[in-house]
Amino acid sequence: MRTERLFHLLQILRGYSCPVKGQVLADRLNISIRTLYRDIATLQAQGADIQGEPGLGYILKPGFFLPPLMLSRDEVEAMMLGIRWVSNYGDSPLAKAAGEALAKISAVLPKETLLSASELPLRVGPPASEEFSSEDLSILRQAIRQERKIEIEYQTGDEEKIQHTIWPFAIGYFTDCRILVGWCENSESYRYFQTNKLLSIHILPVAYSGRYSQLFRKWKLQQTST
């Protein structure tokens, strides 16, 4: 099947760190060079960052491209339910991204699978308030990706406003709230902050020590040991 061949071509390209000649790829796939050129053009049109040209070779740049997948009914239902959950409980940009991802996935799903997915009986309840669905946490996700310190002003339960310098590394999305998790320089400990009580957020021009994944692992280890 052509879908399997395209997937195999991607797997082969992932194994090379430098450009590989088209004829080498064609020989490994047991296809003609003309067919290889068509397959590469197809993958590029679907979003794969394959760079190169005939005679010079091809290389697959790192990215988030997913090749066409063969999914079971349970896998489709799990994926659709997850996207519906993010559409309702992710902050505004994530909810929009979920809809865009669904459109891209729907474009490559077989027709019969797409029909069953649209009729999925598994549903997600609506968020509690419009304020919840309009929240935008893009700045927090940006700080985590860049592993930058942030300065926040936070409103406590007794209406007191406190400033903290945080090393953010995770955001928890729940049905009734969202929680920022980070290392707090002020208290020298891991702290939790409800995002709807963040009065201001400023990304500082300095990176924190280590990777956010390392902070997450240390925090998780602390949770399991207490």
Side-chain angles (χ1 to χ4, degrees), residues 23-187:
Q23 190 59 57
V24 173
L25 297 171
D27 291 344
R28 291 192 60 177
L29 292 166
N30 195 28
I31 58 177
S32 70
I33 192 69
R34 289 172 61 86
T35 300
L36 175 79
Y37 294 154
R38 286 197 298 268
D39 286 353
I40 286 178
T42 297
L43 290 171
Q44 289 172 329
Q46 292 180 355
D49 190 6
I50 300 173
Q51 298 183 4
E53 57 184 79
L56 296 179
Y58 298 92
I59 186 169
L60 176 65
K61 295 294 184 179
F64 294 101
F65 173 76
L66 290 175
L69 300 176
M70 296 300 293
L71 300 173
S72 70
R73 184 178 180 86
D74 282 347
E75 289 169 339
V76 170
E77 289 185 352
M79 178 181 65
M80 295 292 290
L81 184 62
I83 289 175
R84 287 178 179 175
W85 195 94
V86 175
S87 294
N88 279 11
Y89 293 102
D91 60 271
S92 181
L94 275 187
K96 180 182 177 183
E100 293 170 349
L102 178 58
K104 292 178 180 178
I105 293 169
S106 298
V108 297
L109 284 176
K111 184 177 181 180
E112 60 275 12
T113 303
L114 183 60
L115 287 174
S116 63
S118 65
E119 298 168 356
L120 179 67
L122 308 178
R123 300 290 168 173
V124 176
S129 68
E130 185 176 339
E131 178 184 1
F132 189 78
S133 60
S134 63
E135 189 175 28
D136 185 345
L137 304 183
S138 298
I139 189 171
L140 294 179
R141 291 196 298 276
Q142 178 187 348
I144 292 172
R145 293 188 194 111
Q146 296 177 348
E147 296 170 336
R148 299 271 288 276
K149 296 181 182 182
I150 60 172
E151 187 175 79
I152 63 171
E153 185 176 39
Y154 189 71
Q155 183 172 301
T156 64
D158 55 7
E159 303 301 317
E160 183 181 3
K161 298 177 182 179
I162 302 178
Q163 288 191 330
H164 301 270
T165 300
I166 306 297
W167 302 6
F169 61 84
I171 304 172
Y173 287 80
F174 303 92
T175 56
D176 58 350
C177 67
R178 302 182 181 109
I179 303 294
L180 170 67
V181 188
W183 173 263
C184 178
E185 289 188 354
N186 304 65
S187 62

Side-chain angles (χ1 to χ4, degrees), residues 209-221:
S209 301
R211 305 300 305 273
Y212 69 78
S213 56
Q214 294 171 332
L215 283 173
F216 182 85
R217 285 194 294 269
K218 290 178 181 178
W219 166 73
K220 193 173 182 180
L221 182 63

